[in-house]
């Protein structure tokens, strides 16, 4: 049996979820070295310029993705108003969640200065963010974090790929009224 073809089919069937090395080994009943060799051969077969997809490692899994050199054609399709793209406010909201996760909607609202309830519902529907727990704040609001789909959407392997934020200038704080750099001498 052609295991490379089976691997290609498996990657297609799982779609955006992708497959880890362990899942490939389990599914094909092979050892890790053989799985890596199959992935390498499949990846090389997609490098031909006549192919429109490739094997990528995103998140923590191998996935079939489009080639970056075809980006202009994808953008043309995505710029069509009928397609589903993110607005500037949705991009800002998902960025805040990515950098501050886990975070509540109220905390995002406070950072943005406007209500984000509708935007967060849309981002959840798109699969870019999800509920990752409950806060200990009164009312136990939902905590939100990003998903594997978020990583895929922005072409990242992990959250470590997020651009670093410029460090905020440290502001010198005035001394506390109750503390002093001078120590009183205690009389014995």
């Amino acid at each position: 049996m052609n295991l490379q073809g089976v691997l290609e089919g498996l990657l297609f069937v799982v779609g955006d979820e992708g497959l880890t090395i362990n899942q490939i080994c389990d599914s094909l009943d092979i050892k890790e070295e053989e799985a890596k060799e199959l992935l390498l051969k499949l990846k090389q077969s997609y490098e031909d310029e006549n192919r429109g997809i490739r094997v990528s490692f995103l998140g923590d899994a191998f996935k079939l993705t489009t080639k970056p050199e075809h980006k202009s054609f994808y953008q043309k399709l995505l710029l069509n108003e009928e397609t589903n793209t993110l607005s500037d406010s949705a991009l800002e909201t998902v960025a805040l969640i990515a950098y501050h996760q886990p975070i509540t909607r109220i905390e995002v609202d406070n950072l943005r200065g406007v209500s984000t309830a509708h935007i967060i519902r849309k981002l959840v529907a798109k699969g870019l963010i999800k509920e990752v727990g409950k806060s200990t704040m009164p009312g136990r609001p939902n905590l939100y974090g990003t998903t594997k789909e978020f990583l895929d959407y922005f072409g990242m392997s992990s959250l470590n790929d997020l651009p670093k934020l410029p460090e905020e200038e440290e502001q010198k704080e005035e001394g506390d009224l109750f503390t002093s750099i001078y120590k009183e001498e205690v009389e014995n």
Side-chain angles (χ1 to χ4, degrees), residues 10-174:
L10 290 172
L11 289 170
F12 179 79
V13 167
V14 296
D16 290 342
E17 288 295 312
L19 293 171
T20 64
I21 284 284
N22 290 338
Q23 290 172 319
I24 293 169
C25 292
D26 291 344
S27 298
L28 298 176
D29 197 27
I30 58 176
K31 299 207 180 293
E32 187 174 325
E33 286 305 313
E34 191 176 354
K36 287 179 180 178
E37 187 177 318
L38 279 172
L39 279 165
L40 183 60
K41 286 180 180 176
L42 185 59
K43 184 175 171 110
Q44 288 171 342
S45 73
Y46 281 123
E47 289 177 4
D48 185 287
E49 67 180 33
N50 293 323
R51 304 298 299 263
I53 57 176
R54 65 183 180 156
V55 175
S56 299
F57 184 73
L58 298 170
D60 62 351
F62 292 92
K63 305 171 185 192
L64 294 177
T65 62
T66 57
K67 289 187 172 181
E69 57 266 28
H70 302 155
K71 182 179 177 179
S72 63
F73 297 101
Y74 308 140
Q75 286 177 326
K76 184 177 178 183
L77 174 66
L78 293 175
L79 289 176
N80 183 340
E81 289 183 21
E82 295 175 11
T83 59
N84 207 0
T85 59
L86 294 177
S87 66
D88 289 344
S89 56
L91 285 171
E92 183 179 334
T93 301
V94 77
L96 285 170
I97 292 169
Y99 280 103
H100 298 284
Q101 63 187 306
I103 188 170
T104 66
R105 182 190 57 80
I106 299 299
E107 291 169 321
V108 174
D109 290 356
N110 288 336
L111 289 169
R112 286 203 63 230
V114 295
S115 175
T116 58
H118 182 68
I119 294 170
I120 286 181
R121 279 195 302 274
K122 282 186 172 185
L123 291 171
V124 168
K126 289 178 185 286
L128 297 177
I129 64 170
K130 66 180 179 180
E131 182 184 327
V132 294
K134 294 282 189 182
S135 172
T136 57
M137 293 171 41
R140 303 206 16 98
N142 294 334
L143 289 168
Y144 293 96
T146 56
T147 63
K148 289 180 184 180
E149 288 79 9
F150 166 84
L151 295 173
D152 288 351
Y153 187 89
F154 292 100
M156 293 184 283
S157 297
S158 72
L159 291 174
N160 293 330
D161 293 341
L162 283 170
K164 300 294 180 223
L165 295 175
E167 294 194 41
E168 297 176 352
E169 288 185 27
E170 292 182 28
Q171 296 180 0
K172 294 183 180 180
E173 295 182 20
E174 293 183 18

